[in-house]
Amino acid sequence: TVRVWDMRSHTKRPIQMMADATDSVLCICVVGDEIITGSADGALRKYDVRRGQLCTDCFPHPVGSISSSRDNQCILVSTLNHKISLVESQTGHVLTSFTGHVNDRFKVQSALDPSGSIVASGSEDNSLFFWDLVEARVCHTMQHHSSPVFCVQFFEDTLVTASADGMLKVWRIALESSGGAQTPLREGGKLE
């Protein structure tokens, strides 16, 4: 169930509940007036809060991660079958898919870099994977964690990764479609 609160009302009661998922909701992304969810039932649900509409796209495996492109025209959808799909927001059409990483047991996050030309993802084999968006080919991999990498998040030219090893790592990224060069900016300590 997805619940929405009005933070200005100072009440503990949600103003809206969306109970359409038949299994756990694993991820959520808010884009303008839309709430987009991914769930273990394999559904990508797009709730248009203003219009009161729901659009559902179905995948054959649980949806573990979703993120929107900067222009909100595409959604990056990671599923627990070693696949990341780039989905057109309006139609639900899969534009391309990215494979090569390991993801069939855990919720592993993927993200687009700020330029929108590179897809990054963690992997259950302790690696980071980078794909060229247009060619959908792996352009770089790194293995600097000692456990599965669950989270990746870009902040301009910085990439933050988090792993089951309890480490949060911060990287300065200089990615190019022809290959990437990554150097650690700083590696954080154990997460408590």
Side-chain angles (χ1 to χ4, degrees):
T1 301
V2 176
R3 297 169 194 249
V4 179
W5 286 269
D6 181 351
M7 298 303 290
R8 295 172 293 196
S9 71
H10 303 291
T11 180
K12 294 180 182 179
R13 290 193 149 162
I15 60 170
Q16 191 167 8
M17 289 178 42
M18 300 150 197
D20 301 290
T22 59
D23 206 335
S24 299
V25 174
L26 300 176
C27 47
I28 187 167
C29 180
V30 178
V31 178
D33 296 333
E34 278 193 332
I35 297 172
I36 306 165
T37 65
S39 58
D41 61 12
L44 177 70
R45 291 180 177 84
K46 295 173 275 188
Y47 298 92
D48 188 321
V49 179
R50 288 219 185 261
R51 294 184 184 151
Q53 295 176 335
L54 167 63
C55 180
T56 304
D57 297 314
C58 295
F59 290 84
H61 297 277
V63 176
S65 170
I66 54 176
S67 62
S68 180
S69 61
R70 280 193 170 207
D71 63 5
N72 300 328
Q73 299 298 308
C74 296
I75 303 168
L76 202 58
V77 181
S78 298
T79 51
L80 273 71
N81 65 337
H82 316 289
K83 187 186 265 186
I84 302 168
S85 300
L86 184 67
V87 177
E88 202 278 322
S89 295
Q90 293 297 321
T91 65
H93 178 70
V94 176
L95 301 173
T96 191
S97 295
F98 307 92
T99 59
H101 67 304
V102 178
N103 183 205
D104 64 352
R105 295 179 45 212
F106 303 112
K107 179 182 176 318
V108 172
Q109 187 178 22
S110 59
L112 286 163
D113 79 315
S115 73
S117 62
I118 301 291
V119 172
S121 178
S123 181
E124 293 172 16
D125 67 356
N126 313 347
S127 300
L128 286 168
F129 277 77
F130 300 89
W131 293 266
D132 177 274
L133 179 74
V134 175
E135 296 179 15
R137 66 173 174 76
V138 175
C139 58
H140 195 72
T141 61
M142 300 189 321
Q143 192 168 26
H144 292 283
H145 284 280
S146 60
S147 293
V149 181
F150 295 141
C151 299
V152 297
Q153 185 67 51
F154 284 97
F155 300 95
E156 297 180 15
D157 66 343
T158 301
L159 174 68
V160 179
T161 61
S163 170
D165 62 10
M167 295 296 290
L168 179 70
K169 296 189 179 189
V170 180
W171 310 89
R172 184 165 322 278
I173 301 295
L175 291 172
E176 299 171 0
S177 294
S178 62
Q182 292 78 29
T183 56
L185 173 65
R186 180 182 56 186
E187 295 183 8
K190 284 270 187 192
L191 296 175
E192 300 283 333

